[in-house]
Amino acid sequence: MGVAFESQAPPSQAENGPRPPRPPRPNYNKLHAQPLPVKAYPLPPLIPHNPLSIMHVAFIYLSHLIFPPSSRPQTLLRAYFSAETRSIHVTDEKTARILWEQGFFGKGSLSRSEPAWLEREKIRQGLVLGDTSEEITRKRREERKQFKNERARLEREAIEVKLAEEATDQTKSNGHIEPSVVSNVAQTGSAEETDGRDPASISANVSPEPTSSLATDEPIAVPPSEVASDISSLHPPQKIIINQEHLQLTTEEAFFLVYGLGVLEIRDPVTSQPISTSRLFSICRSYSYFPPQPSPSHAPDDPFLISYVVYHHFRSLGWVVRPGIKFGVDHLLYNRGPVFTHAEFAVIALPAYTDAYWSSNAELRAAVKKKTKKSWWWLHCVNRVQAQVKKTLVLAYVEVPPPVSGGEDITNEAGDVLDIGRFLKRYKVRELILKRWTLNRNKE
């Protein structure tokens, strides 16, 4: 026999007590007011009918034209290349905060995203009060889990109450009551009266409150040594915690900061000498293979080039680009940053061989077919994951140009690219948005 019952409402605050107030969030609009680690000098607004406004705009424009201000910092930010992790490490705390707060570059080596290991350690040792962003997220998930468990418990109780009412109605309609039902009701009533305990034990536990011998009006003498120890215990010496976390940049992020913005200087960890932009470009391309390959054997479709072209493309359009390995994609696109909203788009970088060179002979055609072969199940799985996390899948096709010929003055004998701008202009990006089609939502 089916059971019909009304769904129980979720527990209210009156039943479980008032919810504890959440700690105030940081002012993210102020912390991340600068979208990139460069300074911009826009002209003031122009009011056409105000002659003072016209003179002000003209003065600012001429001053910038004669004495152009520098948008880059006077001292370049410093980082080190790590061949073991194939990434770039930023060990200076001030530099790490600048790169995170002004563009959301990198991630903490001991954190999920924002480098917050030092704050978590201070809170854990009781030196600082408050919660980090990761602790707030963990508590919010626990609250959500408790809410779901409480809702499931109330639904089960509603089902049990409905079944008990139907059993009682059925026994009444038959004209008699089962002895087991009566005994259960009696036991339940006695348990409610005594709160589940024996009355004899309750009366035995009741005893008069003992009188304290210290409750007197006479003063008590305390030795000076104990007073000094109590004062020192109230103000313990502050511990010095060494920050063991560094900011870890991907090769795409680091090269964009070096080549695209010119605000970062990467040094060799052994010699501490700065690495030139062309040399860094070759290193990033070499370490995109496993094992790393030398410069002369670089192909125009190596993994770093395909990924960086897409990264540079979306960064130039104003998106905050973050790694998307968590969702099985190459990049995630945020409108302002991960502290404001979730990522709107998930990007997969794919090479496209539309140039006539890649179909000039059978060997190249076979190689292209092998590189571009993707199964339908792969695409379906990736698209299904993005639909579950409410993101739109973007297929970014990078048109791969033919290899650089000897007549073009772009690379040197060692294989290093001399003119990176001319080299990257040969690549083009095509975007294709792919959405999951469902019958209920797409009836038209």
Side-chain angles (χ1 to χ4, degrees):
M1 180 181 65
V3 179
F5 62 94
E6 296 181 359
S7 61
Q8 187 75 12
S12 60
Q13 295 184 2
E15 297 177 1
N16 297 335
R19 179 180 296 178
R22 291 182 177 177
R25 298 181 62 184
N27 189 357
Y28 290 126
N29 292 323
K30 183 178 180 180
L31 287 176
H32 306 281
Q34 204 166 334
L36 290 174
V38 293
K39 294 183 179 180
Y41 301 92
L43 293 175
L46 175 64
I47 304 176
H49 60 273
N50 190 347
L52 294 178
S53 175
I54 298 175
M55 294 176 60
H56 186 212
V57 171
F59 173 77
I60 297 296
Y61 177 76
L62 291 177
S63 62
H64 288 180
L65 187 63
I66 299 173
F67 304 101
S70 177
S71 59
R72 299 168 182 171
Q74 297 180 355
T75 304
L76 295 179
L77 307 178
R78 185 175 298 181
Y80 296 90
F81 176 76
S82 174
E84 292 77 11
T85 60
R86 301 188 178 195
S87 60
I88 286 79
H89 295 177
V90 180
T91 56
D92 183 57
E93 296 183 19
K94 184 177 180 182
T95 303
R97 295 309 307 177
I98 290 175
L99 293 178
W100 173 257
E101 294 178 356
Q102 300 177 11
F104 300 98
F105 292 96
K107 68 172 292 293
S109 59
L110 301 177
S111 304
R112 294 176 61 247
S113 182
E114 180 182 0
W117 178 86
L118 186 61
E119 287 77 8
R120 293 200 311 271
E121 189 66 16
K122 289 180 179 179
I123 293 173
R124 187 183 68 84
Q125 297 188 12
L127 302 178
V128 178
L129 298 178
D131 293 324
T132 60
S133 58
E134 295 183 354
E135 291 293 328
I136 294 174
T137 303
R138 183 183 61 81
K139 290 182 179 180
R140 189 181 298 117
R141 290 175 178 175
E142 289 182 356
E143 291 178 0
R144 191 181 300 116
K145 184 178 180 180
Q146 293 177 1
F147 175 79
K148 291 181 179 180
N149 293 338
E150 185 68 15
R151 183 175 58 186
R153 184 185 65 81
L154 292 177
E155 291 178 355
R156 289 195 304 269
E157 290 181 356
I159 294 175
E160 293 175 359
V161 170
K162 194 65 178 179
L163 291 174
E165 291 178 357
E166 291 182 357
T168 305
D169 295 340
Q170 185 176 4
T171 54
K172 288 182 179 180
S173 61
N174 294 336
H176 64 280
I177 300 177
E178 296 292 339
S180 59
V181 176
V182 177
S183 62
N184 291 336
V185 173
Q187 293 177 3
T188 304
S190 61
E192 290 178 355
E193 293 175 359
T194 61
D195 195 15
R197 295 179 292 175
D198 190 9
S201 63
I202 296 175
S203 60
N205 292 334
V206 177
S207 60
E209 296 182 357
T211 58
S212 175
S213 60
L214 299 178
T216 60
D217 297 334
E218 298 179 1
I220 301 175
V222 181
S225 60
E226 295 184 6
V227 175
S229 62
D230 293 340
I231 294 175
S232 62
S233 63
L234 293 177
H235 302 282
Q238 291 289 338
K239 294 183 179 179
I240 299 177
I241 302 176
I242 300 176
N243 192 3
Q244 302 179 9
E245 186 178 33
H246 62 267
L247 188 72
Q248 190 171 357
L249 299 173
T250 63
T251 53
E252 293 83 4
E253 293 174 331
F255 190 75
F256 179 78
L257 291 169
V258 172
Y259 168 73
L261 300 180
V263 297
L264 184 66
E265 181 185 60
I266 299 179
R267 293 176 175 263
D268 189 280
V270 179
T271 62
S272 295
Q273 295 297 323
I275 302 175
S276 63
T277 306
S278 59
R279 183 57 186 158
L280 177 65
F281 190 56
S282 299
I283 291 175
C284 293
R285 296 180 66 185
S286 298
Y287 279 88
S288 64
Y289 296 95
F290 184 81
Q293 296 184 4
S295 298
S297 61
H298 289 168
D301 59 346
D302 60 67
F304 171 77
L305 267 179
I306 301 301
S307 179
Y308 178 75
V309 167
V310 175
Y311 182 91
H312 192 111
H313 170 73
F314 286 108
R315 272 288 184 179
S316 302
L317 295 178
W319 292 97
V320 175
V321 186
R322 299 284 298 161
I325 189 173
K326 180 179 179 180
F327 302 106
V329 295
D330 296 322
H331 305 290
L332 294 176
L333 303 183
Y334 293 85
N335 187 14
R336 294 184 62 188
V339 301
F340 297 102
T341 56
H342 292 282
E344 299 183 23
F345 298 95
V347 182
I348 294 181
L350 298 173
Y353 303 90
T354 57
D355 194 271
Y357 167 81
W358 302 107
S359 59
S360 57
N361 54 61
E363 184 179 357
L364 288 175
R365 287 195 295 270
V368 167
K369 184 178 180 181
K370 182 179 179 180
K371 292 179 180 179
T372 57
K373 185 178 180 180
K374 298 288 184 181
S375 64
W376 163 252
W377 296 110
W378 167 82
L379 182 62
H380 178 69
C381 291
V382 173
N383 196 21
R384 180 64 181 268
V385 170
Q386 309 316 315
Q388 291 296 323
V389 295
K390 298 181 179 180
K391 295 179 184 0
T392 303
L393 180 61
V394 178
L395 302 180
Y397 288 95
V398 180
E399 298 183 4
V400 181
V404 179
S405 60
E408 300 183 36
D409 189 15
I410 298 180
T411 60
N412 56 12
E413 296 178 357
D416 297 340
V417 178
L418 300 178
D419 193 345
I420 299 178
R422 284 180 57 193
F423 186 83
L424 294 178
K425 281 183 179 179
R426 302 163 65 242
Y427 293 84
K428 297 180 181 179
V429 180
R430 290 185 290 109
E431 305 169 10
L432 177 63
I433 294 180
L434 186 64
K435 293 186 177 181
R436 183 167 171 259
W437 187 87
T438 56
L439 181 61
N440 294 334
R441 298 180 181 178
N442 303 90
K443 291 183 178 181
E444 299 178 358

